[in-house]
Amino acid sequence: MYEQISHSLLNEILDELKPHIRRRDLRHFYTRLGANFYAIHSLFHLLYGNRDDFKAKMLNLVEVMANQYIQRNDELKQLDVEREKDHNWFLSQKWVGMALYTEGFTGNLVSMKSRLSYLQELGINMVHLMPILDCPQGASDGGYAVSNFRNVDGRVGSMEDLESLGASMRKRDILLALDVVVNHTSNEHEWAQKAQTGDPKYQDYYHVFDNRDIPDMFEETMPEIFPETAPGNFTWDETMEKWVMTVFNHYQWDLDYSNPTVFIEMLDIILFWANKGADIVRLDAVAFLWKKIGTTCQNEREAHLILQLMKDCCQVTAPGVLFIAEAIVAPVEITKYFGEDAVIAKECEIAYNATFMALLWDAVATRNTLLLNRGIKSLPEKLDRATWLNYVRCHDDIGLGFDDRDILLAGYDPQAHRRFLIDYFTGAYVDSIARGFPFGQNKKTGDARISGSLASLVGLEAALAQGDQEAIDRAIKLILLLHSVIFSFGGIPLLHYGDEIGTLNDYSFLQDEHKKDDNRWIHRPKIDWKKAQLRQQHGSIEQRIFDGLKRMIATRKRIPAFADFNNRELLEVTNSHLFVFQRIHPEQPTNSILVVANFDANPQYLDMHDLGGHIRPQYSQVRDLYSGESPAMFKKQLVVPPYRFYWLISQQPEAVV
Ligand code: OTU
């Protein structure tokens, strides 16, 4: 867009750029800067236009983008151009991700390299390495308290190790996703330490207060994130003799984005990692980026402006790099992190589908899909050119983040239903063999979330202890069922390491004084490679899960209707134990897929009349692409065995109405 004020400012800035920047061949950089400058200028002005140093900061911002562009190597620049051409590349069904802690998975970055073939065996081609940057030796919130954003933690390796791993991944066509913890730093970060010595420049990087006046005002409306271990949102700093805002743990200092220098520093860090070869940058805790008295300090409009600005700037320097929004917030808020418009107000291409994840767990506990269907229906439409990260569980706790109104519409009392779910997954409910633990219990609000490994939550741990073969089978089926929906729903499925071999709760964190108070560590295991080896032993639990997932992944990759072009239609059927949706092939409707998942422990029947104008399969005319079998039919009803799923295709196109 050509706009006079922006354009003359751009001319001024280009004149003032340092000679080493001016002298370079920056053709691609300048075309992209020209295309995005109006947006960048407008956003930067909305956020910081009232400051005297606005122009100087604008110049700094362009310098950072230009310098990082100069640093970007030719291979990555080439990739940028390719991805610009094929800009929907990440919507393809070919991508399947896994998130893992390097330390827990293999120990370090060097040994990680030799495990890439294991990931490939399964079909994984996107790896999210959980935080690997410098962080305190003691408690560091699993690396989410960063003390140096440009250094790899010596405990997992060096920068060279990471680059070499990245190169090996690129050769194997595996995407690398890395974290940039944008909301806060560790109290051991250089900026925090300078702030502690009284340096006003660095105190302005954080929210620092002499007394409780303002903190008290904030606290009136701010919820607590870790109420048990880190109550409140402010910490008294002895050295500084001031209060500092710490929304998460007391050692995680929130950055103050009303200071443009903070924005520029963090953008520089994002681009630094883009240049180190990250294909995807996961932006942690993005809902929290802007703090305002009188609000919850989450999902503020400015937080969205900051993300738009980060995206626009990243597109100038490294347009091939994608952002993941980690915003575990209410269903109506989550979709907003894709941005309002895919072109003029874009934020992150990918977002965690926390609502879907929580709804799936509801279906597990209730064995029906009343709330699941309801909740999916009220999830707002997302933009084109954006996709979900669908997951069954991740490294964090499971929050019951669905809407109370949806719970009511599903026919339950919200408070009682939430209580039931907590009881169910913590094993307190009579009928439950789940082995989860409550996390973040809040005595004031009665709120709680859930920790526990996937296998333990679906009853495998208890079933093994009881030697109950049927319960073991049920747990395995549930693990596969849950994955079958994240693989087919639309979006990038993200597995949690260890789940592919049914890893149980890992209680060893209780022995570690820096971890014992945070039971999320129960589902951040150390992989037992001897156990993983059992995947090759026919009939073992590991083999049944691993091979099931492997087959699903391979099948998913062959089904173009599973690519994410907002081509899903939810079908509400009479039988409330079934989750049914259709994935429509964009070009060949006859190759659309009907997904049917039975969340009940008993066989269920799908009445073909329920499918209305959609696929009306006749006996032997539909085939499940996963198993290759044609499901049984009884009196125009499709039979779905307990915890079974189908990815159905009509074999004869004529059968499709
Ligand atoms: C994120 O978490 C990380 O995933 C957590 O591992 C970190 O502890 C946290 O940030 C701080 O860095 O910010 O938008 O309920 O879901 O803390 C949501 C706990 C977050 C997490 C929440 C989350």
Side-chain angles (χ1 to χ4, degrees):
M1 183 185 296
Y2 184 84
E3 193 271 340
Q4 279 82 356
I5 299 173
S6 291
H7 196 77
S8 55
L9 175 64
L10 178 57
N11 283 338
E12 264 179 59
I13 287 177
L14 295 181
D15 282 343
E16 281 175 49
L17 283 182
K18 298 196 178 83
H20 82 276
I21 297 179
R22 252 185 287 149
R23 255 185 269 119
R24 301 278 177 150
D25 169 24
L26 301 176
R27 184 172 72 87
H28 284 302
F29 176 79
Y30 286 132
T31 8
R32 291 173 190 142
L33 182 65
N36 272 7
F37 194 75
Y38 173 67
I40 292 174
H41 176 211
S42 309
L43 288 165
F44 204 68
H45 195 267
L46 269 173
L47 289 161
Y48 308 115
N50 57 350
R51 295 175 55 110
D52 296 340
D53 58 356
F54 174 73
K55 264 195 184 174
K57 292 293 161 193
M58 223 22 252
L59 173 61
N60 281 167
L61 184 69
V62 175
E63 274 170 352
V64 161
M65 288 187 274
N67 275 324
Q68 291 290 6
Y69 180 79
I70 292 168
Q71 302 289 318
R72 196 158 174 78
N73 72 35
D74 290 341
E75 192 189 352
L76 294 175
K77 282 181 179 161
Q78 180 57 35
L79 204 59
D80 287 335
V81 176
E82 282 163 25
R83 288 179 180 169
E84 276 179 324
K85 258 191 237 148
D86 179 23
H87 57 263
N88 283 338
W89 65 275
F90 62 98
L91 304 179
S92 159
Q93 76 282 5
K94 106 175 206 200
W95 303 112
V96 178
M98 180 184 275
L100 54 91
Y101 284 92
T102 307
E103 240 178 321
F105 191 63
T106 60
N108 59 45
L109 292 167
V110 172
S111 52
M112 175 73 207
K113 224 167 145 182
S114 57
R115 294 291 181 196
L116 290 177
S117 55
Y118 171 81
L119 297 175
Q120 283 188 300
E121 182 186 336
L122 186 59
I124 300 296
N125 51 15
M126 172 194 144
V127 175
H128 170 209
L129 289 185
M130 296 298 293
I132 45 166
L133 303 190
D134 262 357
C135 61
Q137 291 291 318
S140 70
D141 192 16
Y144 282 106
V146 178
S147 49
N148 185 342
F149 285 109
R150 294 170 203 260
N151 220 10
V152 172
D153 187 326
R155 287 170 288 189
V156 294
S158 65
M159 188 65 92
E160 291 71 49
D161 297 339
L162 178 65
E163 282 176 292
S164 145
L165 174 67
S168 177
M169 286 171 67
R170 206 160 314 116
K171 273 195 211 123
R172 295 164 187 258
D173 201 16
I174 302 179
L175 301 176
L176 172 64
L178 292 176
D179 276 273
V180 176
V181 187
V182 278
N183 179 67
H184 43 263
T185 74
S186 149
N187 59 345
E188 292 184 18
H189 190 284
E190 186 192 348
W191 302 336
Q193 292 187 334
K194 286 186 175 157
Q196 281 179 322
T197 62
D199 187 336
K201 175 179 173 194
Y202 290 98
Q203 288 190 354
D204 281 350
Y205 274 41
Y206 302 96
H207 303 270
V208 169
F209 306 96
D210 294 330
N211 56 45
R212 284 287 316 182
D213 291 352
I214 295 177
D216 283 344
M217 285 185 226
F218 268 114
E219 298 268 27
E220 283 175 31
T221 48
M222 281 175 96
E224 293 172 306
I225 306 300
F226 299 137
E228 294 163 309
T229 49
N233 286 281
F234 296 85
T235 301
W236 173 252
D237 185 76
E238 286 293 346
T239 336
M240 210 164 39
E241 298 195 312
K242 286 181 199 282
W243 290 93
V244 59
M245 187 186 276
T246 54
V247 169
F248 294 92
N249 289 296
H250 62 86
Y251 51 81
Q252 287 164 307
W253 289 22
D254 286 67
L255 287 163
D256 183 357
Y257 277 87
S258 70
N259 179 355
T261 309
V262 168
F263 178 87
I264 296 169
E265 294 260 27
M266 295 313 290
L267 176 72
D268 198 21
I269 290 160
I270 292 173
L271 298 178
F272 173 84
W273 287 106
N275 283 349
K276 291 284 174 212
D279 300 283
I280 305 178
V281 174
R282 175 191 182 275
L283 300 175
D284 184 59
V286 287
F288 296 81
L289 294 180
W290 197 268
K291 319 301 201 266
K292 208 179 275 171
I293 291 173
T295 73
T296 57
C297 296
Q298 290 181 43
N299 309 312
E300 285 301 306
R301 176 166 175 263
E302 288 83 350
H304 288 285
L305 299 180
I306 288 166
L307 289 169
Q308 284 172 28
L309 187 56
M310 282 176 174
K311 183 77 262 183
D312 286 338
C313 294
C314 185
Q315 277 176 332
V316 173
T317 301
V321 171
L322 305 177
F323 285 173
I324 298 180
E326 195 259 347
I328 313 303
V329 292
V332 289
E333 296 295 338
I334 290 193
T335 354
K336 295 184 185 162
Y337 289 89
F338 292 124
E340 275 165 41
D341 181 287
V343 180
I344 55 170
K346 181 168 165 183
E347 295 180 23
C348 301
E349 290 85 354
I350 308 174
Y352 278 79
N353 201 346
T355 314
F356 186 40
M357 181 274 300
L359 290 166
L360 286 176
W361 285 104
D362 185 86
V364 170
T366 60
R367 299 182 181 180
N368 73 56
T369 57
L370 294 170
L371 185 54
L372 173 57
N373 275 312
R374 189 61 252 164
I376 296 297
K377 277 216 297 209
S378 31
L379 200 62
E381 279 283 302
K382 69 172 170 56
L383 294 179
D384 296 340
R385 298 197 215 172
T387 198
W388 290 115
L389 206 57
N390 291 318
Y391 61 113
V392 176
R393 74 142 316 106
C394 69
H395 69 289
D396 279 332
D397 47 286
I398 297 169
L400 307 175
F402 22 73
D403 210 289
D404 276 356
R405 266 168 315 185
D406 287 335
I407 305 184
L408 276 168
L409 287 169
Y412 311 112
D413 167 66
Q415 228 192 329
H417 190 64
R418 287 176 191 280
R419 189 66 256 160
F420 157 73
L421 292 171
I422 304 287
D423 286 348
Y424 184 88
F425 288 112
T426 55
Y429 185 74
V430 237
D431 229 11
S432 160
I433 56 165
R435 288 286 176 270
F437 292 83
F439 175 82
Q441 274 182 309
N442 191 327
K443 298 251 155 56
K444 284 171 250 168
T445 61
D447 190 32
R449 285 113 74 183
I450 300 148
S451 283
S453 81
L454 166 60
S456 292
L457 287 176
V458 296
L460 186 59
E461 185 177 335
L464 283 167
Q466 291 157 9
D468 181 341
Q469 197 52 50
E470 271 172 38
I472 294 175
D473 289 347
R474 276 201 299 274
I476 294 175
K477 283 187 190 146
L478 252 173
I479 292 175
L480 296 176
L481 178 79
L482 288 164
H483 283 95
S484 80
V485 268
I486 65 161
F487 286 143
S488 57
F489 190 72
I492 303 173
L494 184 75
L495 279 78
H496 183 60
Y497 80 115
D499 287 350
E500 76 285 6
I501 48 167
T503 305
L504 305 178
N505 284 344
D506 181 344
Y507 296 94
S508 65
F509 77 102
L510 292 166
Q511 261 66 63
D512 183 331
E513 61 160 319
H514 301 299
K515 292 180 177 163
K516 67 179 189 342
D517 295 323
D518 185 344
N519 65 22
R520 290 177 297 174
W521 286 102
I522 209 162
H523 53 257
R524 298 171 178 177
K526 198 160 179 55
I527 296 299
D528 176 349
W529 287 98
K530 280 208 195 87
K531 221 171 147 274
Q533 202 51 40
L534 294 175
R535 73 186 183 281
Q536 277 154 7
Q537 188 179 305
H538 187 74
S540 70
I541 293 171
E542 291 75 11
Q543 181 266 326
R544 290 169 66 192
I545 299 174
F546 191 93
D547 281 352
L549 294 177
K550 180 174 158 181
R551 180 174 197 157
M552 258 185 248
I553 293 173
T555 312
R556 166 188 156 91
K557 290 182 182 175
R558 285 197 301 269
I559 302 180
F562 282 176
D564 188 13
F565 292 101
N566 285 342
N567 47 341
R568 178 186 51 249
E569 196 175 334
L570 201 63
L571 302 176
E572 274 189 278
V573 298
T574 326
N575 188 331
S576 64
H577 299 288
L578 301 178
F579 185 42
V580 184
F581 56 88
Q582 197 182 14
R583 296 302 314 282
I584 301 144
H585 191 296
E587 279 118 38
Q588 305 149 355
T590 50
N591 281 331
S592 296
I593 306 288
L594 185 72
V595 176
V596 181
N598 177 8
F599 278 85
D600 194 39
N602 296 305
Q604 295 295 333
Y605 303 90
L606 172 62
D607 192 334
M608 287 300 124
H609 297 108
D610 280 357
L611 300 179
H614 298 279
I615 302 180
R616 268 191 224 146
Q618 326 256 290
Y619 184 52
S620 86
Q621 286 183 324
V622 286
R623 193 166 50 94
D624 171 25
L625 290 181
Y626 168 74
S627 62
E629 294 162 10
S630 288
M633 296 281 281
F634 181 69
K635 292 188 180 164
K636 292 246 182 286
Q637 303 205 89
L638 185 106
V639 182
V640 198
Y643 298 127
R644 180 74 188 260
F645 71 92
Y646 290 132
W647 290 346
L648 298 177
I649 189 151
S650 284
Q651 280 190 306
Q652 289 149 345
E654 310 83 80
V656 179
V657 181

